[in-house]
Amino acid sequence: MSSGLIAVRAMLLLFCLWPLYSLASDAIRDRMEAIHQRFPVTALGEPLLALDALPEFYSHREYTLAWSRTEDRDALLEAIRAAERHGLIPSDYHYSLLATFAARTPDDLGPEARVDLDLLLTDSLLLLTSHLLHGKVNRESLEAEWTANRHAQRIDEIASQALETQQIPTLVDRLAPPQNGYQQLLKAREFLQSLQPIPWEPIVDGPTIRPGMTDHRLPLIRQRLIAMGDLMPTISLEEQVIERHYSDRLVAAVTRFQDRHGLDTDGLIGRRTLDSLNITPQEKLAQLDANLERWRWLPEELGDTHIIVNIAGFELRMIRAGEEILKTRVIVGQPYRQTPLFSDRIRYLVFNPTWTVPRTIMTEDQLPTIRRDPDYLQKLDFTVYRGWGADRERVDPDTIDWWLFSENNFPFQLVQEPGPHNALGRVKFMFPNEHDIYLHDTPARSLFSRSERTFSSGCIRVEDSFRLASLLLEGQDNWSREQINRTISSRELTKVYLKEPVPVHLEYWTTWVDSDGKRHFRNDIYGRNPRLIARLTEKPRTLAPDQARTD
């Protein structure tokens, strides 16, 4: 067949199909206009959800159909199935309805159904892209995001590129967080999935089981520890005979379990250890999914050198070029003065800081203490001022009748001078923020030995603060450890700015995998998991007609 005849036939085919494409384009344009007006829009009976990104997507392609290739449609279905491994729910992305059309081509459908299918496929792609990149739940409001309105333009571009370059098969792996912490959680999720069929009979409460004792609950405890990987299975006759005996081997397994769950590693099987042993794989899976979501909230780039504080794990880690160079314990805010979650940059250090006591702490904590112990202020090197700013006036605390003042009538400011008693210790790490939160040293060293460390008023106390200071100041103006020690010994307030501010991320992970591959679970100290889990399992919400725009 001549090339001229082929060209003529192509033109005839285009001429015949042009009314179809024109009708499809008009239909898509009308739907996008309805979305702009914030009217509920459905496709094949299901609501469209990516209300901000959908119009952008189709506008850039001049409202033409996007899903003519069977391979692309099949790849999207596979991507939705793969997203379940990340704790996302396939039904959120129209999976069941799209799967019913898997064996049909657009040519099998009428013009209206073809447009509907195209819109539904695009809606699924955009929403999945948004949830993988930024999370399903808004970090600030803790509301599920169904409109794909965060970074909508970028979501549109990424989805368009994936479709145009046939990269949908790799979509999930490319968009999910690449950090090792997230990837290790995916492996832990697979392990928890494997435990789902195992019966998880509750271990009854009773007296604390101590090493060497015999107890009827030990066979079930042994099975539980084997299932979770803390105890290697054994088939020896001796183990079968003495399985009700709390042997050294079983004590070691219990201690490993306690370490992974943030319990005192004393080998005693008491109430808290039993409670942790009774947490089902289903409950742990939901907890793990909540922490996968928290990973998706993080910035895509954490920083070549960065610090992560896990509030729920009471731990600070400093990472440089992918390697952990510091891990140290921290103390965080009490449940009624919770440490907030955010990312910022450490910009400078203060050696020998003073501590200006926040008003809430002055009136709620310090005032009752001063009333009980008149010498408290002098013993801990506090200076008292009447008023604030340049007009404040130093006052002798012995001349003040502290019983005359209250939370609503407290005209004083308390400032603790540098020294060994200072509540901030010898160094603080500053990343100025609206919460007035920072990292700092502390003289209260004994508290770091506690398994749960919620003792601060919101700021984060760092156990190995001098090591952290040394690492931050490496290679900067001869700030060696010796220079740091000399500066501290001087008791003079000294501020040192970093040449390169270091990112710091305050996070709340109740589940993680450490560098040795151990799966860790922690108590939800601030009670944040239930609401997040509820939002992650929430069904998509449609836009009500009364939410239509009036502008």
Side-chain angles (χ1 to χ4, degrees):
M1 185 182 296
S2 67
S3 59
L5 185 57
I6 293 174
V8 170
R9 287 190 173 185
M11 291 181 64
L12 287 172
L13 179 61
L14 179 61
F15 179 78
C16 293
L17 293 177
W18 180 253
L20 175 62
Y21 287 123
S22 179
L23 287 172
S25 179
D26 289 344
I28 293 173
R29 193 186 303 270
D30 289 344
R31 301 284 188 88
M32 297 305 103
E33 179 59 29
I35 288 175
H36 275 305
Q37 296 301 322
R38 281 310 198 233
F39 291 121
V41 178
T42 63
L44 296 175
E46 290 207 3
L48 297 178
L49 302 167
L51 302 181
D52 288 281
L54 262 173
E56 296 287 343
F57 179 92
Y58 280 105
S59 172
H60 292 155
R61 57 183 299 111
E62 298 182 350
Y63 304 101
T64 58
L65 296 167
W67 296 85
S68 59
R69 285 171 41 86
T70 302
E71 295 87 347
D72 291 335
R73 298 192 299 276
D74 291 344
L76 179 59
L77 285 172
E78 180 57 37
I80 296 172
R81 287 192 293 269
E84 189 171 18
R85 191 171 73 92
H86 295 251
L88 299 173
I89 304 172
S91 61
D92 289 344
Y93 312 104
H94 314 295
Y95 178 79
S96 296
L97 184 55
L98 292 177
T100 64
F101 286 85
R104 304 174 65 181
T105 67
D107 294 335
D108 299 331
L109 306 174
E112 184 177 347
R114 185 171 185 175
V115 169
D116 276 15
L117 179 60
D118 205 272
L119 291 172
L120 211 61
L121 287 161
T122 304
D123 192 60
S124 172
L125 174 61
L126 291 169
L127 201 60
L128 181 59
T129 299
S130 174
H131 289 176
L132 287 168
L133 274 178
H134 310 299
K136 175 179 174 179
V137 177
N138 185 298
R139 178 173 185 162
E140 302 301 324
S141 67
L142 275 191
E143 294 297 326
E145 290 281 5
W146 296 115
T147 60
N149 63 354
R150 289 171 291 168
H151 309 280
Q153 178 66 33
R154 185 175 179 191
I155 290 169
D156 160 64
E157 292 175 355
I158 291 172
S160 295
Q161 185 180 28
L163 188 58
E164 291 169 6
T165 59
Q166 300 173 25
Q167 292 183 331
I168 293 178
T170 62
L171 181 79
V172 174
D173 288 339
R174 286 189 297 106
L175 298 186
Q179 288 86 7
N180 186 58
Y182 183 89
Q183 298 300 320
Q184 290 299 317
L185 273 184
L186 293 183
K187 295 179 181 178
R189 193 179 194 280
E190 291 178 2
F191 174 78
L192 287 176
Q193 285 277 33
S194 72
L195 298 182
Q196 300 300 307
I198 299 176
W200 217 258
E201 178 186 344
I203 304 169
V204 298
D205 196 13
T208 297
I209 307 174
R210 302 176 182 277
M213 290 177 62
T214 299
D215 194 283
H216 69 280
R217 295 169 292 175
L218 285 171
L220 185 53
I221 291 173
R222 183 188 304 276
Q223 293 173 19
R224 191 68 44 87
L225 293 169
I226 290 172
M228 290 184 292
D230 294 293
L231 178 65
M232 291 297 295
T234 178
I235 57 173
S236 73
L237 181 60
E238 180 186 2
E239 286 287 338
Q240 294 178 36
V241 171
I242 63 172
E243 63 179 355
R244 290 174 178 264
H245 176 67
Y246 194 16
S247 64
D248 291 344
R249 183 169 177 269
L250 194 53
V251 171
V254 168
T255 303
R256 282 191 289 271
F257 174 86
Q258 291 173 329
D259 177 63
R260 293 195 305 108
H261 290 77
L263 304 168
D264 291 330
T265 53
D266 52 16
L268 305 180
I269 307 177
R271 172 68 63 83
R272 292 191 65 198
T273 299
L274 284 175
D275 287 345
S276 293
L277 284 166
N278 279 327
I279 298 174
T280 68
Q282 291 84 356
E283 291 170 320
K284 285 190 172 182
L285 189 63
Q287 180 180 337
L288 189 145
D289 286 346
N291 286 276
L292 286 172
E293 175 73 357
R294 290 180 177 119
W295 268 99
R296 292 190 285 266
W297 291 343
L298 277 169
E300 293 179 54
E301 296 295 332
L302 302 182
D304 185 59
T305 296
H306 65 269
I307 291 167
I308 287 184
V309 178
N310 180 7
I311 295 166
F314 311 108
E315 183 177 86
L316 178 149
R317 297 166 61 238
M318 186 172 182
I319 310 297
R320 180 180 292 162
E323 297 294 326
E324 180 181 284
I325 59 175
L326 175 66
K327 181 167 71 173
T328 185
R329 294 179 290 190
V330 298
I331 292 168
V332 301
Q334 301 169 71
Y336 64 93
R337 288 179 183 163
Q338 299 180 11
T339 301
L341 311 184
F342 61 97
S343 294
D344 211 307
R345 291 176 178 270
I346 296 177
R347 290 170 167 79
Y348 63 93
L349 281 62
V350 180
F351 292 106
N352 300 315
T354 59
W355 181 41
T356 301
V357 185
R359 181 173 182 81
T360 300
I361 298 176
M362 278 194 295
T363 57
E364 294 182 6
D365 300 347
Q366 305 281 35
L367 181 57
T369 302
I370 296 168
R371 287 170 174 171
R372 289 193 304 268
D373 181 3
D375 294 328
Y376 168 78
L377 295 173
Q378 182 179 355
K379 286 188 296 187
L380 295 184
D381 299 323
F382 279 99
T383 300
V384 181
Y385 296 92
R386 184 186 294 273
W388 293 265
D391 296 331
R392 71 182 185 180
E393 178 185 358
R394 186 167 180 170
V395 180
D396 183 350
D398 291 336
T399 65
I400 301 172
D401 184 351
W402 296 102
W403 291 94
L404 297 177
F405 301 97
S406 64
E407 180 180 348
N408 298 321
N409 176 28
F410 196 83
F412 304 107
Q413 189 176 57
L414 306 181
V415 179
Q416 192 174 30
E417 301 303 321
H421 303 304
N422 190 284
L424 305 184
R426 301 303 189 95
V427 59
K428 64 178 180 177
F429 308 84
M430 299 301 295
F431 38 103
N433 57 82
E434 61 179 321
H435 309 285
D436 198 23
I437 294 296
Y438 43 87
L439 309 177
H440 65 84
D441 181 31
T442 176
R445 313 303 296 178
S446 62
L447 295 178
F448 287 110
S449 63
R450 305 283 186 89
S451 57
E452 285 200 359
R453 298 184 286 278
T454 52
F455 301 113
S456 84
S457 296
C459 286
I460 299 159
R461 307 175 193 173
V462 182
E463 182 175 33
D464 201 351
S465 54
F466 292 171
R467 175 64 177 157
L468 178 60
S470 295
L471 289 170
L472 287 170
L473 293 174
E474 271 187 0
Q476 180 165 319
D477 299 332
N478 299 318
W479 273 98
S480 64
R481 183 62 180 265
E482 290 74 20
Q483 177 61 29
I484 291 174
N485 291 339
R486 284 194 294 271
T487 302
I488 290 171
S489 298
S490 73
R491 291 202 181 189
E492 294 182 6
L493 188 149
T494 304
K495 188 179 293 186
V496 185
Y497 283 87
L498 299 180
K499 290 181 179 178
E500 294 290 336
V502 174
V504 57
H505 309 282
L506 309 187
E507 296 303 317
Y508 187 85
W509 291 325
T510 56
T511 306
W512 73 92
V513 180
D514 67 19
S515 56
D516 295 325
K518 291 191 295 186
R519 296 175 294 273
H520 286 262
F521 297 87
R522 290 296 185 272
N523 184 29
D524 182 14
I525 55 173
Y526 294 161
R528 294 179 175 179
N529 280 345
R531 186 179 176 190
L532 178 54
I533 291 169
R535 292 296 181 263
L536 287 172
T537 55
E538 183 176 277
K539 295 297 182 185
R541 295 194 301 266
T542 58
L543 190 70
D546 60 1
Q547 291 177 276
R549 289 178 176 170
T550 58
D551 55 345

